[in-house]
Amino acid sequence: HNNAVYKNEVKLSEVFVSVKTTGKFHASRIPILLETWVVMGRDAVHFFTDVEDEELKSKILPGRLINTNCSARHTRAALCCKMSLEFDMFLASKRKWFCHVDDDTYLNIPALLRLLKQYNSTGDWYLGKPSLNHPLEIKDIEYPKQKTAFWFATGAGFCVSRGLALKMMPYAGGGRLRSVCEKVRLPDDCSIGFIIYYYMKKELTVVPGFHSHLEGLWLIKPRDLENHITFSYGQSGHATNVVRVGGFSQGSDPTRFRSIHCHLYPNLPQCANIEKD
Ligand code: UDP
Ligand code: MN
């Protein structure tokens, strides 16, 4: 990345990062985020949830915990309800970039800014990485005998430029994303991809540095962590699927997020006495 010419400087305050979460994950997933990357991304981060939580509110910037009042369920309607509000709040924020992540994601803030600098936010950009190895195929909504096939970025991490988001307003703004989700019967991330492909006639720009737990996270080379944009953690069959990085023990850092954070910021006080990879 050092040789690239960056024409479009991007400040953290120009990026709208939305973290999708839900009440039952406030205690289990959010604390590790607040201790690690959110410290660096504070100015950009907005949490979208489905309950009131005064304790969490007190730990982040004012107005950054949004209770969507969407139902606290893992259903298409509930997830689209949340994404719809994320999109509307981004539009209202006037920021240049909308970046969405799940609450089991480590977002490498400097790498994100370096990525966004390479694109003009007034242009039409949809940046992310597919989780499927083929385009999603659905029945065409206007011609049901035909099919529509398109690539979408997994909701674990993607960005949309303001230029593209403004054009998407008639389809995704003001709660209309929810109707699209119902019309195509697809979840939030797929429906965003559908709108961009079908109505905007734009393609996903694949960014290899986004990593959800749907891929093998152990494949990421520790020496290369600084160039990747998102990391996650999860189960893959019987084994845990996490980034292989030295640092804290597996017991004290099961998600590896503390170790990733120390790998990226070795001079932090909490990183003083750990084994370096
Ligand atoms: N989520 C939600 N409501 C729910 C369950 C999950 O908003 O009832 C959010 C969760 O906080 C996360 C995303 O949806 O940001 C994906 O959830 P999870 O990682 O549990 O499932 P996955 O889809 O990755 O298997
Ligand atoms: Mn997940």
Side-chain angles (χ1 to χ4, degrees):
H1 57 268
N2 291 330
N3 300 327
V5 179
Y6 299 136
K7 296 193 234 46
N8 315 291
E9 280 301 317
V10 183
K11 293 196 277 279
L12 197 54
S13 58
E14 295 172 327
V15 182
F16 188 99
V17 171
S18 65
V19 180
K20 175 171 69 185
T21 188
T22 182
K24 69 168 185 245
F25 292 146
H26 286 196
S28 55
R29 295 187 179 186
I30 302 298
I32 182 88
L33 308 187
L34 298 182
E35 285 164 37
T36 59
W37 71 266
V38 173
V39 177
M40 311 303 173
R42 216 172 138 78
D43 201 12
V45 182
H46 301 70
F47 292 93
F48 285 79
T49 191
D50 40 38
V51 289
E52 289 297 321
D53 185 339
E54 292 305 323
E55 197 191 327
L56 175 52
K57 217 174 237 178
S58 71
K59 293 177 183 161
I60 57 179
L61 292 177
R64 299 305 183 83
L65 181 66
I66 295 102
N67 179 3
T68 59
N69 288 311
C70 299
S71 87
R73 293 166 62 207
H74 206 171
T75 59
R76 181 173 74 226
L79 298 178
C80 289
C81 173
K82 260 178 209 164
M83 181 71 82
S84 170
L85 287 160
E86 291 174 36
F87 187 77
D88 284 342
M89 250 192 95
F90 159 69
L91 286 173
S93 78
K94 305 277 193 284
R95 293 184 188 225
K96 290 181 175 176
W97 287 96
F98 171 49
C99 295
H100 166 102
V101 292
D102 283 351
D103 59 4
D104 50 3
T105 305
Y106 182 102
L107 180 60
N108 183 355
I109 293 288
L112 176 71
L113 296 180
R114 284 199 300 270
L115 171 78
L116 299 180
K117 275 179 198 178
Q118 300 173 54
Y119 305 91
N120 197 328
S121 64
T122 60
D124 300 329
W125 295 107
Y126 173 36
L127 311 175
K129 190 168 162 189
S131 52
L132 307 175
N133 58 7
H134 55 85
L136 186 58
E137 200 176 71
I138 62 167
K139 223 188 273 175
D140 192 287
I141 52 170
E142 284 165 71
Y143 308 98
K145 284 182 183 154
Q146 294 178 19
K147 297 216 161 134
T148 300
F150 61 96
W151 291 97
F152 71 96
T154 173
F158 67 83
C159 297
V160 175
S161 61
R162 167 158 294 269
L164 181 57
L166 287 172
K167 294 184 188 156
M168 290 166 69
M169 258 175 87
Y171 304 94
R176 282 178 290 260
L177 175 66
R178 300 170 66 174
S179 322
V180 173
C181 287
E182 287 317 301
K183 195 191 255 176
V184 294
R185 300 172 159 275
L186 292 173
D188 52 348
D189 49 355
C190 309
S191 295
I192 291 278
F194 173 79
I195 290 170
I196 292 171
Y197 175 81
Y198 196 81
Y199 297 116
M200 307 291 108
K201 312 270 185 255
K202 302 289 171 192
E203 299 282 343
L204 169 69
T205 297
V206 177
V207 177
F210 283 98
H211 301 282
S212 79
H213 56 70
L214 297 168
E215 58 177 275
L217 293 161
W218 65 87
L219 297 169
I220 303 168
K221 308 247 180 316
R223 264 155 212 82
D224 201 30
L225 287 188
E226 61 173 340
N227 296 320
H228 295 269
I229 297 148
T230 60
F231 308 101
S232 186
Y233 58 87
Q235 290 289 129
S236 153
H238 292 291
T240 50
N241 181 16
V242 293
V243 175
R244 284 234 177 117
V245 57
F248 299 99
S249 70
Q250 194 65 40
S252 63
D253 183 24
T255 67
R256 307 316 290 155
F257 283 7
R258 282 177 224 283
S259 302
I260 293 171
H261 198 60
C262 283
H263 193 94
L264 298 176
Y265 308 94
N267 297 327
L268 293 173
Q270 70 265 34
C271 307
N273 293 315
I274 60 163
E275 153 210 336
K276 296 283 152 52
D277 198 59

